[in-house]
Amino acid sequence: MNSQCNKHFSLHMLAKLALAVLMTTPFAVPQTAIAAAINIKRTNYGIPNGAFFVSPTGQPGNSGRSANSPWPISKAIASAPSGATIVFRGGTYRNVRLPLNKRFTLQAYPNEQPWLKGSTIITGWVKEGNIWRKDGWNYSFPPNQQARAVDPKFPMAGYRDMVYINGVPLKQVGNKARVGPGTFYVDPRNKKLYVGSNPNSKTVEATTQAEGIIVWNNSAAGSVVRGLGLAHYADQAIKIGTSGVTVENTTMARNAMEGVTVKSPNVKLRGNNISYNGRKGVGASYAHRLLLENNVISYNNLENFSTSWSASGVKILWSDGVVARGNTVANNKSMGLWADESSSNITFVNNVARNNIIGIYFEISHKAIIASNVVHNNSTAGIMILNASAARIYNNTLARNHANLLVQDTSRRNTKAKEISKGITWTTRNTVVKNNVFWNSNGPMFYAPGCAVKQASRLMIPATNNNAYYRRAASRPVNLIWGLSGNQCSQNFTSLASFRSATGLEGNSLDVVNSNDPFFINAGANDFRLKGGSPAMGRGEPLPADIANAIGVSAGRKVNLGALR
């Protein structure tokens, strides 16, 4: 079903890209960073007449109709009519689960920061030798995912219990004997919770709820969530299974599995912080016309789930018409933006994808615009196309990735006649690569051998032109790896001139060798704006109308190379 990338590369490719190491080595995330980095945006949404108010200390006997007389959440959800706005005063709402069966707008009170947590505060600890015990603990969240989602090196990843002491997460272990400083163990049979760090005089929070806000009932279609924070849920902070839902300026962080799951069409996720979750930031399936816009999606897969199965910043499955634009997708111990399994008409534009395993990944799918993204410092590839057709890769800035661009076909093929009739064949064809800047990769700049199926690379990539390749010294080869035929399936070209001579491609492209970068203002500080006189200025081929429209620029005239916005 989903990809298992390591199995689909030749040994030659594995050696070149060191995928076996890069895709299984965890990234280090300081525990102090996890404790301190999460905030909720300050928002100032207008409060309509007739709104209802809630607070952590709200009382059922209050009117619920003013900021000074709030209800508890449970009463507002039960009593407010469909279409109502519920305004959350600041503070922490504990042990909260909100299944919506009406259309609501849930929003923060102006300039206040309400946290909804799927945890409770624990007191009453008993010291037992060098560890501490909580008796009567009635909560346990054992694995509920497919076995192959769990990396055998990290067998506890699927256990979804969470414990925090003064905001710092403890690591779950599999038995009482392994409990020590910084760890915890749940004994569901005997209803006990053990921690190895002294909990006394500290705030100890432990997970008690699987899901936060559940917008699954069709009566809740069109609901809006904005300005809130959700944390400490065993599965998802927000679970969306009905159409037209909007989540904006909301923080979904420190959840054991996912920040948000979307399984319905016409959902909008805008301006959110979706970070520090155990497996994924965003999981989407059958999420047709999903809009992901201006979100920060970072530091996900903290639990080290298998990176070749589902762990990701964003993973999209079986979805048509998804648009991801203006997002920062960074530092995920996984793929960054990933469209997989028969998705189609995907648009990835104006994003920054950095410090992931693969920045932007388009796999066993059909038709994508991947344009005007800044993609740098990803440990395996900046952009990767695998068994996917009709990907148009325009005006991306690709820098310091192990491979800046990786295009591959394997023997995997779709067998579903209905999908094949729509062009979803799982065959890498009609990839177009234009107007990009390939800047000083750590490995090959453009890696597109045909060895896995003994074919010429031009079958996968019929058009590549108007690109720029930059390296600091002539002794560092440009490294375009290309198959001229089935028998010559992986040729290493060390200059653009030799590649052009052998293939007839890249006729208008640049090969720039200069110890001082002539392209960007300060690439060392990740400022990839073009400097005055950059050789990228005005060198781009005019954009097709749909790509120009997706980026937000004019069509039909020459453009700069690299990211345009």
Side-chain angles (χ1 to χ4, degrees):
M1 187 176 69
N2 301 317
S3 92
Q4 297 188 61
C5 305
N6 300 30
K7 296 181 181 179
H8 300 297
F9 297 99
S10 65
L11 291 175
H12 172 74
M13 187 172 186
L14 288 170
K16 292 290 288 186
L17 295 180
L19 286 174
V21 174
L22 290 169
M23 295 186 72
T24 57
T25 300
F27 298 10
V29 180
Q31 296 296 293
T32 52
I34 298 171
I38 306 301
N39 294 300
I40 304 172
K41 285 184 180 179
R42 289 197 176 273
T43 55
N44 190 18
Y45 292 110
I47 300 174
N49 292 332
F52 296 82
F53 295 81
V54 298
S55 84
T57 57
Q59 298 299 315
N62 289 343
S63 71
R65 305 312 294 267
S66 76
N68 296 319
S69 186
W71 279 339
I73 299 177
S74 57
K75 180 164 184 179
I77 295 296
S79 302
S82 185
T85 295
I86 300 175
V87 180
F88 289 67
R89 300 301 308 265
T92 301
Y93 299 74
R94 296 277 176 193
N95 192 23
V96 172
R97 181 177 185 271
L98 298 182
L100 304 188
N101 58 9
K102 307 170 194 173
R103 179 174 56 85
F104 286 134
T105 295
L106 309 181
Q107 69 183 50
Y109 189 84
N111 299 305
E112 294 188 355
Q113 296 176 304
W115 276 107
L116 281 62
K117 290 191 175 182
S119 62
T120 191
I121 291 179
I122 307 173
T123 58
W125 293 95
V126 177
K127 196 166 190 309
E128 183 179 318
N130 293 324
I131 62 177
W132 288 262
R133 183 185 78 242
K134 172 64 178 179
D135 295 324
W137 184 248
N138 294 310
Y139 304 97
S140 173
F141 299 95
N144 66 350
Q145 61 284 135
Q146 295 166 307
R148 65 190 110 183
V150 177
D151 186 331
K153 295 190 215 41
F154 302 97
M156 293 302 296
Y159 289 81
R160 299 163 294 129
D161 310 272
M162 303 175 75
V163 176
Y164 288 80
I165 296 183
N166 285 350
V168 176
L170 304 189
K171 180 181 178 181
Q172 189 167 7
V173 296
N175 58 64
K176 179 181 172 182
R178 298 185 62 189
V179 176
T183 68
F184 75 96
Y185 167 63
V186 175
D187 180 353
R189 176 176 295 179
N190 297 303
K191 300 187 182 303
K192 298 181 188 297
L193 171 64
Y194 296 90
V195 298
S197 298
N198 189 345
N200 294 319
S201 302
K202 298 172 185 173
T203 300
V204 183
E205 302 166 279
T207 294
T208 56
Q209 295 289 347
E211 302 155 331
I213 298 174
I214 304 128
V215 197
W216 206 261
N217 191 308
N218 287 338
S219 298
S223 290
V224 177
V225 178
R226 53 192 189 183
L228 307 181
L230 294 98
H232 298 179
Y233 290 94
D235 285 334
Q236 301 92 8
I238 300 181
K239 184 176 179 181
I240 300 171
T242 191
S243 65
V245 175
T246 298
V247 181
E248 66 180 26
N249 295 326
T250 287
T251 294
M252 292 157 275
R254 303 179 190 161
N255 301 289
M257 292 292 287
E258 298 173 5
V260 56
T261 291
V262 180
K263 294 188 176 182
S264 56
N266 302 315
V267 170
K268 296 179 175 64
L269 304 177
R270 298 187 297 219
N272 303 292
N273 184 355
I274 310 171
S275 302
Y276 296 96
N277 296 293
R279 182 169 69 166
K280 268 187 273 199
V282 179
S285 56
Y286 304 103
H288 309 309
R289 297 172 297 283
L290 170 66
L291 173 64
L292 291 159
E293 186 174 46
N294 298 331
N295 302 285
V296 173
I297 303 165
S298 64
Y299 293 102
N300 295 293
N301 196 26
L302 287 183
E303 293 296 329
N304 297 303
F305 281 88
S306 172
T307 57
S308 63
W309 189 251
S310 63
S312 52
V314 175
K315 184 158 189 184
I316 300 157
L317 295 163
W318 309 299
S319 299
D320 180 79
V322 173
V323 175
R325 64 179 176 231
N327 303 285
T328 297
V329 184
N331 301 299
N332 297 286
K333 294 193 292 184
S334 59
M335 312 308 174
L337 289 168
W338 187 0
D340 189 13
E341 188 78 14
S342 299
S343 292
S344 56
N345 298 299
I346 303 299
T347 301
F348 291 151
V349 293
N350 301 335
N351 302 288
V352 174
R354 64 173 185 263
N355 298 326
N356 309 286
I357 291 177
I358 297 172
I360 298 175
Y361 192 10
F362 188 57
E363 184 186 10
I364 54 174
S365 293
H366 177 60
K367 290 188 71 175
I369 294 172
I370 303 173
S372 194
N373 302 286
V374 176
V375 187
H376 65 92
N377 291 94
N378 296 283
S379 65
T380 293
I383 296 173
M384 181 170 175
I385 310 299
L386 180 64
N387 289 94
S389 53
R392 291 185 291 164
I393 303 169
Y394 275 76
N395 284 96
N396 299 283
T397 296
L398 301 161
R400 295 192 301 263
N401 305 287
H402 187 77
N404 276 335
L405 175 60
L406 195 161
V407 181
Q408 181 77 4
D409 193 24
T410 74
S411 58
R412 254 190 319 180
R413 294 293 180 259
N414 201 349
T415 59
K416 298 175 183 176
K418 186 175 181 179
E419 291 184 356
I420 293 169
S421 70
K422 297 177 181 178
I424 307 172
T425 62
W426 300 4
T427 306
T428 303
R429 292 291 185 268
N430 299 319
T431 307
V432 176
V433 182
K434 293 186 176 181
N435 295 355
N436 304 282
V437 175
F438 294 79
W439 194 95
N440 210 40
S441 64
N442 297 320
M445 288 196 186
F446 190 166
Y447 192 99
C451 296
V453 286
K454 294 294 183 182
Q455 66 182 8
S457 298
R458 199 156 186 166
L459 288 174
M460 299 187 295
I461 311 164
T464 176
N465 205 359
N466 292 86
N467 301 297
Y469 296 84
Y470 167 72
R471 48 203 166 120
R472 294 189 183 279
S475 59
R476 184 183 182 96
V478 69
N479 255 1
L480 292 96
I481 297 174
W482 192 267
L484 298 175
S485 68
N487 292 326
Q488 293 179 311
C489 60
S490 183
Q491 305 298 303
N492 187 355
F493 296 93
T494 58
S495 72
L496 189 61
S498 64
F499 178 81
R500 183 182 293 138
S501 176
T503 66
L505 299 169
E506 298 282 27
N508 295 322
S509 295
L510 297 174
D511 187 0
V512 178
V513 181
N514 196 321
S515 59
N516 296 312
D517 172 28
F519 282 89
F520 302 122
I521 289 174
N522 190 351
N526 300 327
D527 185 346
F528 293 102
R529 293 174 297 167
L530 298 182
K531 64 172 62 172
S534 170
M537 286 188 169
R539 286 294 303 246
E541 179 181 301
L543 296 174
D546 61 338
I547 293 177
N549 182 62
I551 296 172
V553 299
S554 298
R557 57 177 144 179
K558 286 189 175 183
V559 294
N560 297 332
L561 303 183
L564 298 177
R565 294 176 68 83

PDB file of all heavy atoms in Angstrom, residues 37-65:
ATOM      1  N   ALA A  37       9.161  25.273  23.199  1.00  0.00           N
ATOM      2  CA  ALA A  37       8.987  25.882  21.886  1.00  0.00           C
ATOM      3  C   ALA A  37       7.546  26.110  21.477  1.00  0.00           C
ATOM      4  O   ALA A  37       7.305  26.707  20.449  1.00  0.00           O
ATOM      5  CB  ALA A  37       9.679  25.014  20.836  1.00  0.00           C
ATOM      6  N   ILE A  38       6.576  25.641  22.224  1.00  0.00           N
ATOM      7  CA  ILE A  38       5.201  25.641  21.745  1.00  0.00           C
ATOM      8  C   ILE A  38       4.408  26.791  22.347  1.00  0.00           C
ATOM      9  O   ILE A  38       4.307  26.930  23.562  1.00  0.00           O
ATOM     10  CB  ILE A  38       4.512  24.310  22.097  1.00  0.00           C
ATOM     11  CG1 ILE A  38       5.331  23.138  21.567  1.00  0.00           C
ATOM     12  CG2 ILE A  38       3.114  24.267  21.531  1.00  0.00           C
ATOM     13  CD1 ILE A  38       5.559  23.148  20.087  1.00  0.00           C
ATOM     14  N   ASN A  39       3.839  27.586  21.469  1.00  0.00           N
ATOM     15  CA  ASN A  39       2.977  28.682  21.898  1.00  0.00           C
ATOM     16  C   ASN A  39       1.716  28.691  21.034  1.00  0.00           C
ATOM     17  O   ASN A  39       1.642  28.019  20.009  1.00  0.00           O
ATOM     18  CB  ASN A  39       3.702  30.030  21.750  1.00  0.00           C
ATOM     19  CG  ASN A  39       4.882  30.148  22.683  1.00  0.00           C
ATOM     20  OD1 ASN A  39       4.739  30.069  23.897  1.00  0.00           O
ATOM     21  ND2 ASN A  39       6.075  30.324  22.120  1.00  0.00           N
ATOM     22  N   ILE A  40       0.748  29.469  21.461  1.00  0.00           N
ATOM     23  CA  ILE A  40      -0.451  29.710  20.665  1.00  0.00           C
ATOM     24  C   ILE A  40      -0.370  31.136  20.142  1.00  0.00           C
ATOM     25  O   ILE A  40       0.018  32.050  20.873  1.00  0.00           O
ATOM     26  CB  ILE A  40      -1.734  29.546  21.513  1.00  0.00           C
ATOM     27  CG1 ILE A  40      -1.768  28.161  22.160  1.00  0.00           C
ATOM     28  CG2 ILE A  40      -2.971  29.762  20.656  1.00  0.00           C
ATOM     29  CD1 ILE A  40      -2.908  28.006  23.163  1.00  0.00           C
ATOM     30  N   LYS A  41      -0.720  31.331  18.876  1.00  0.00           N
ATOM     31  CA  LYS A  41      -0.766  32.685  18.336  1.00  0.00           C
ATOM     32  C   LYS A  41      -1.754  33.546  19.118  1.00  0.00           C
ATOM     33  O   LYS A  41      -2.813  33.069  19.530  1.00  0.00           O
ATOM     34  CB  LYS A  41      -1.216  32.658  16.873  1.00  0.00           C
ATOM     35  CG  LYS A  41      -0.186  32.186  15.890  1.00  0.00           C
ATOM     36  CD  LYS A  41      -0.757  32.302  14.481  1.00  0.00           C
ATOM     37  CE  LYS A  41       0.233  31.841  13.443  1.00  0.00           C
ATOM     38  NZ  LYS A  41      -0.335  31.934  12.073  1.00  0.00           N
ATOM     39  N   ARG A  42      -1.406  34.781  19.280  1.00  0.00           N
ATOM     40  CA  ARG A  42      -2.386  35.728  19.823  1.00  0.00           C
ATOM     41  C   ARG A  42      -3.303  36.166  18.694  1.00  0.00           C
ATOM     42  O   ARG A  42      -2.850  36.606  17.641  1.00  0.00           O
ATOM     43  CB  ARG A  42      -1.689  36.924  20.456  1.00  0.00           C
ATOM     44  CG  ARG A  42      -0.983  36.561  21.749  1.00  0.00           C
ATOM     45  CD  ARG A  42      -0.656  37.777  22.589  1.00  0.00           C
ATOM     46  NE  ARG A  42      -0.066  37.374  23.866  1.00  0.00           N
ATOM     47  CZ  ARG A  42      -0.748  37.067  24.952  1.00  0.00           C
ATOM     48  NH1 ARG A  42      -2.074  37.112  24.914  1.00  0.00           N
ATOM     49  NH2 ARG A  42      -0.133  36.713  26.058  1.00  0.00           N
ATOM     50  N   THR A  43      -4.582  36.011  18.908  1.00  0.00           N
ATOM     51  CA  THR A  43      -5.562  36.363  17.886  1.00  0.00           C
ATOM     52  C   THR A  43      -6.554  37.373  18.453  1.00  0.00           C
ATOM     53  O   THR A  43      -6.663  37.564  19.665  1.00  0.00           O
ATOM     54  CB  THR A  43      -6.312  35.110  17.405  1.00  0.00           C
ATOM     55  OG1 THR A  43      -6.895  34.444  18.530  1.00  0.00           O
ATOM     56  CG2 THR A  43      -5.364  34.157  16.691  1.00  0.00           C
ATOM     57  N   ASN A  44      -7.291  37.981  17.560  1.00  0.00           N
ATOM     58  CA  ASN A  44      -8.249  39.013  17.979  1.00  0.00           C
ATOM     59  C   ASN A  44      -9.506  38.904  17.108  1.00  0.00           C
ATOM     60  O   ASN A  44      -9.882  39.835  16.404  1.00  0.00           O
ATOM     61  CB  ASN A  44      -7.614  40.401  17.860  1.00  0.00           C
ATOM     62  CG  ASN A  44      -8.472  41.475  18.501  1.00  0.00           C
ATOM     63  OD1 ASN A  44      -9.367  41.210  19.309  1.00  0.00           O
ATOM     64  ND2 ASN A  44      -8.221  42.728  18.133  1.00  0.00           N
ATOM     65  N   TYR A  45     -10.155  37.760  17.190  1.00  0.00           N
ATOM     66  CA  TYR A  45     -11.361  37.547  16.405  1.00  0.00           C
ATOM     67  C   TYR A  45     -12.531  38.321  17.009  1.00  0.00           C
ATOM     68  O   TYR A  45     -12.703  38.377  18.231  1.00  0.00           O
ATOM     69  CB  TYR A  45     -11.701  36.056  16.372  1.00  0.00           C
ATOM     70  CG  TYR A  45     -10.710  35.231  15.597  1.00  0.00           C
ATOM     71  CD1 TYR A  45      -9.855  34.347  16.243  1.00  0.00           C
ATOM     72  CD2 TYR A  45     -10.642  35.331  14.209  1.00  0.00           C
ATOM     73  CE1 TYR A  45      -8.942  33.580  15.525  1.00  0.00           C
ATOM     74  CE2 TYR A  45      -9.727  34.564  13.492  1.00  0.00           C
ATOM     75  CZ  TYR A  45      -8.891  33.705  14.142  1.00  0.00           C
ATOM     76  OH  TYR A  45      -7.990  32.948  13.440  1.00  0.00           O
ATOM     77  N   GLY A  46     -13.336  38.885  16.128  1.00  0.00           N
ATOM     78  CA  GLY A  46     -14.534  39.566  16.592  1.00  0.00           C
ATOM     79  C   GLY A  46     -15.523  38.586  17.215  1.00  0.00           C
ATOM     80  O   GLY A  46     -15.601  37.424  16.833  1.00  0.00           O
ATOM     81  N   ILE A  47     -16.244  39.062  18.203  1.00  0.00           N
ATOM     82  CA  ILE A  47     -17.216  38.217  18.903  1.00  0.00           C
ATOM     83  C   ILE A  47     -18.614  38.627  18.448  1.00  0.00           C
ATOM     84  O   ILE A  47     -19.050  39.766  18.681  1.00  0.00           O
ATOM     85  CB  ILE A  47     -17.085  38.379  20.424  1.00  0.00           C
ATOM     86  CG1 ILE A  47     -15.678  37.969  20.871  1.00  0.00           C
ATOM     87  CG2 ILE A  47     -18.141  37.550  21.144  1.00  0.00           C
ATOM     88  CD1 ILE A  47     -15.399  38.220  22.341  1.00  0.00           C
ATOM     89  N   PRO A  48     -19.326  37.737  17.792  1.00  0.00           N
ATOM     90  CA  PRO A  48     -20.654  38.112  17.286  1.00  0.00           C
ATOM     91  C   PRO A  48     -21.681  38.184  18.414  1.00  0.00           C
ATOM     92  O   PRO A  48     -21.519  37.579  19.476  1.00  0.00           O
ATOM     93  CB  PRO A  48     -20.980  36.982  16.313  1.00  0.00           C
ATOM     94  CG  PRO A  48     -20.232  35.808  16.860  1.00  0.00           C
ATOM     95  CD  PRO A  48     -18.961  36.358  17.426  1.00  0.00           C
ATOM     96  N   ASN A  49     -22.730  38.923  18.151  1.00  0.00           N
ATOM     97  CA  ASN A  49     -23.852  38.934  19.095  1.00  0.00           C
ATOM     98  C   ASN A  49     -24.401  37.510  19.239  1.00  0.00           C
ATOM     99  O   ASN A  49     -24.486  36.759  18.268  1.00  0.00           O
ATOM    100  CB  ASN A  49     -24.970  39.854  18.590  1.00  0.00           C
ATOM    101  CG  ASN A  49     -24.551  41.306  18.620  1.00  0.00           C
ATOM    102  OD1 ASN A  49     -23.720  41.708  19.440  1.00  0.00           O
ATOM    103  ND2 ASN A  49     -25.125  42.108  17.725  1.00  0.00           N
ATOM    104  N   GLY A  50     -24.765  37.161  20.456  1.00  0.00           N
ATOM    105  CA  GLY A  50     -25.320  35.841  20.702  1.00  0.00           C
ATOM    106  C   GLY A  50     -24.293  34.761  20.955  1.00  0.00           C
ATOM    107  O   GLY A  50     -24.647  33.582  21.066  1.00  0.00           O
ATOM    108  N   ALA A  51     -22.993  35.139  21.051  1.00  0.00           N
ATOM    109  CA  ALA A  51     -21.949  34.142  21.311  1.00  0.00           C
ATOM    110  C   ALA A  51     -22.088  33.579  22.720  1.00  0.00           C
ATOM    111  O   ALA A  51     -22.654  34.214  23.622  1.00  0.00           O
ATOM    112  CB  ALA A  51     -20.571  34.774  21.123  1.00  0.00           C
ATOM    113  N   PHE A  52     -21.526  32.391  22.894  1.00  0.00           N
ATOM    114  CA  PHE A  52     -21.460  31.740  24.206  1.00  0.00           C
ATOM    115  C   PHE A  52     -20.003  31.737  24.669  1.00  0.00           C
ATOM    116  O   PHE A  52     -19.090  31.626  23.848  1.00  0.00           O
ATOM    117  CB  PHE A  52     -21.996  30.311  24.111  1.00  0.00           C
ATOM    118  CG  PHE A  52     -23.448  30.238  23.745  1.00  0.00           C
ATOM    119  CD1 PHE A  52     -23.853  30.332  22.418  1.00  0.00           C
ATOM    120  CD2 PHE A  52     -24.422  30.097  24.726  1.00  0.00           C
ATOM    121  CE1 PHE A  52     -25.186  30.277  22.076  1.00  0.00           C
ATOM    122  CE2 PHE A  52     -25.769  30.039  24.390  1.00  0.00           C
ATOM    123  CZ  PHE A  52     -26.153  30.137  23.067  1.00  0.00           C
ATOM    124  N   PHE A  53     -19.810  31.819  25.988  1.00  0.00           N
ATOM    125  CA  PHE A  53     -18.465  31.913  26.547  1.00  0.00           C
ATOM    126  C   PHE A  53     -18.197  30.736  27.475  1.00  0.00           C
ATOM    127  O   PHE A  53     -19.086  30.297  28.218  1.00  0.00           O
ATOM    128  CB  PHE A  53     -18.309  33.234  27.324  1.00  0.00           C
ATOM    129  CG  PHE A  53     -18.411  34.452  26.457  1.00  0.00           C
ATOM    130  CD1 PHE A  53     -19.657  34.955  26.075  1.00  0.00           C
ATOM    131  CD2 PHE A  53     -17.273  35.104  26.014  1.00  0.00           C
ATOM    132  CE1 PHE A  53     -19.762  36.072  25.264  1.00  0.00           C
ATOM    133  CE2 PHE A  53     -17.357  36.224  25.196  1.00  0.00           C
ATOM    134  CZ  PHE A  53     -18.605  36.708  24.826  1.00  0.00           C
ATOM    135  N   VAL A  54     -16.943  30.239  27.412  1.00  0.00           N
ATOM    136  CA  VAL A  54     -16.529  29.159  28.310  1.00  0.00           C
ATOM    137  C   VAL A  54     -15.177  29.521  28.919  1.00  0.00           C
ATOM    138  O   VAL A  54     -14.429  30.333  28.384  1.00  0.00           O
ATOM    139  CB  VAL A  54     -16.425  27.804  27.563  1.00  0.00           C
ATOM    140  CG1 VAL A  54     -17.761  27.382  26.995  1.00  0.00           C
ATOM    141  CG2 VAL A  54     -15.368  27.848  26.462  1.00  0.00           C
ATOM    142  N   SER A  55     -14.891  28.887  30.051  1.00  0.00           N
ATOM    143  CA  SER A  55     -13.579  29.056  30.668  1.00  0.00           C
ATOM    144  C   SER A  55     -13.253  27.798  31.462  1.00  0.00           C
ATOM    145  O   SER A  55     -14.154  26.994  31.759  1.00  0.00           O
ATOM    146  CB  SER A  55     -13.545  30.286  31.578  1.00  0.00           C
ATOM    147  OG  SER A  55     -14.040  29.965  32.866  1.00  0.00           O
ATOM    148  N   PRO A  56     -11.977  27.611  31.851  1.00  0.00           N
ATOM    149  CA  PRO A  56     -11.632  26.436  32.657  1.00  0.00           C
ATOM    150  C   PRO A  56     -12.350  26.393  34.003  1.00  0.00           C
ATOM    151  O   PRO A  56     -12.506  25.312  34.584  1.00  0.00           O
ATOM    152  CB  PRO A  56     -10.115  26.578  32.844  1.00  0.00           C
ATOM    153  CG  PRO A  56      -9.659  27.414  31.691  1.00  0.00           C
ATOM    154  CD  PRO A  56     -10.784  28.374  31.448  1.00  0.00           C
ATOM    155  N   THR A  57     -12.783  27.554  34.475  1.00  0.00           N
ATOM    156  CA  THR A  57     -13.482  27.614  35.761  1.00  0.00           C
ATOM    157  C   THR A  57     -14.957  27.938  35.596  1.00  0.00           C
ATOM    158  O   THR A  57     -15.637  28.304  36.554  1.00  0.00           O
ATOM    159  CB  THR A  57     -12.825  28.659  36.675  1.00  0.00           C
ATOM    160  OG1 THR A  57     -12.836  29.936  36.015  1.00  0.00           O
ATOM    161  CG2 THR A  57     -11.387  28.278  36.996  1.00  0.00           C
ATOM    162  N   GLY A  58     -15.472  27.810  34.356  1.00  0.00           N
ATOM    163  CA  GLY A  58     -16.874  28.118  34.108  1.00  0.00           C
ATOM    164  C   GLY A  58     -17.820  27.217  34.899  1.00  0.00           C
ATOM    165  O   GLY A  58     -17.504  26.057  35.179  1.00  0.00           O
ATOM    166  N   GLN A  59     -18.971  27.771  35.253  1.00  0.00           N
ATOM    167  CA  GLN A  59     -19.944  27.050  36.074  1.00  0.00           C
ATOM    168  C   GLN A  59     -21.253  26.858  35.309  1.00  0.00           C
ATOM    169  O   GLN A  59     -21.708  27.757  34.595  1.00  0.00           O
ATOM    170  CB  GLN A  59     -20.219  27.827  37.361  1.00  0.00           C
ATOM    171  CG  GLN A  59     -19.008  28.010  38.258  1.00  0.00           C
ATOM    172  CD  GLN A  59     -18.452  26.678  38.729  1.00  0.00           C
ATOM    173  OE1 GLN A  59     -19.214  25.795  39.147  1.00  0.00           O
ATOM    174  NE2 GLN A  59     -17.136  26.524  38.650  1.00  0.00           N
ATOM    175  N   PRO A  60     -21.909  25.696  35.492  1.00  0.00           N
ATOM    176  CA  PRO A  60     -23.178  25.450  34.803  1.00  0.00           C
ATOM    177  C   PRO A  60     -24.253  26.462  35.153  1.00  0.00           C
ATOM    178  O   PRO A  60     -25.153  26.732  34.352  1.00  0.00           O
ATOM    179  CB  PRO A  60     -23.568  24.039  35.263  1.00  0.00           C
ATOM    180  CG  PRO A  60     -22.298  23.404  35.708  1.00  0.00           C
ATOM    181  CD  PRO A  60     -21.456  24.523  36.254  1.00  0.00           C
ATOM    182  N   GLY A  61     -24.175  27.041  36.365  1.00  0.00           N
ATOM    183  CA  GLY A  61     -25.189  28.010  36.776  1.00  0.00           C
ATOM    184  C   GLY A  61     -24.996  29.394  36.204  1.00  0.00           C
ATOM    185  O   GLY A  61     -25.860  30.259  36.375  1.00  0.00           O
ATOM    186  N   ASN A  62     -23.873  29.649  35.544  1.00  0.00           N
ATOM    187  CA  ASN A  62     -23.654  30.956  34.916  1.00  0.00           C
ATOM    188  C   ASN A  62     -24.551  31.116  33.692  1.00  0.00           C
ATOM    189  O   ASN A  62     -25.129  30.148  33.187  1.00  0.00           O
ATOM    190  CB  ASN A  62     -22.191  31.119  34.516  1.00  0.00           C
ATOM    191  CG  ASN A  62     -21.277  31.282  35.714  1.00  0.00           C
ATOM    192  OD1 ASN A  62     -21.720  31.590  36.816  1.00  0.00           O
ATOM    193  ND2 ASN A  62     -19.984  31.073  35.501  1.00  0.00           N
ATOM    194  N   SER A  63     -24.607  32.339  33.189  1.00  0.00           N
ATOM    195  CA  SER A  63     -25.452  32.594  32.012  1.00  0.00           C
ATOM    196  C   SER A  63     -24.827  32.068  30.729  1.00  0.00           C
ATOM    197  O   SER A  63     -25.536  31.745  29.768  1.00  0.00           O
ATOM    198  CB  SER A  63     -25.692  34.097  31.874  1.00  0.00           C
ATOM    199  OG  SER A  63     -24.501  34.762  31.460  1.00  0.00           O
ATOM    200  N   GLY A  64     -23.501  32.011  30.689  1.00  0.00           N
ATOM    201  CA  GLY A  64     -22.809  31.598  29.470  1.00  0.00           C
ATOM    202  C   GLY A  64     -22.850  32.619  28.364  1.00  0.00           C
ATOM    203  O   GLY A  64     -22.293  32.399  27.282  1.00  0.00           O
ATOM    204  N   ARG A  65     -23.458  33.792  28.598  1.00  0.00           N
ATOM    205  CA  ARG A  65     -23.658  34.782  27.537  1.00  0.00           C
ATOM    206  C   ARG A  65     -22.762  35.996  27.669  1.00  0.00           C
ATOM    207  O   ARG A  65     -22.893  36.944  26.901  1.00  0.00           O
ATOM    208  CB  ARG A  65     -25.119  35.217  27.495  1.00  0.00           C
ATOM    209  CG  ARG A  65     -26.124  34.084  27.352  1.00  0.00           C
ATOM    210  CD  ARG A  65     -25.762  33.085  26.246  1.00  0.00           C
ATOM    211  NE  ARG A  65     -25.829  33.673  24.920  1.00  0.00           N
ATOM    212  CZ  ARG A  65     -26.897  33.639  24.127  1.00  0.00           C
ATOM    213  NH1 ARG A  65     -27.996  33.005  24.541  1.00  0.00           N
ATOM    214  NH2 ARG A  65     -26.868  34.179  22.940  1.00  0.00           N
TER     215      ARG A  65
END
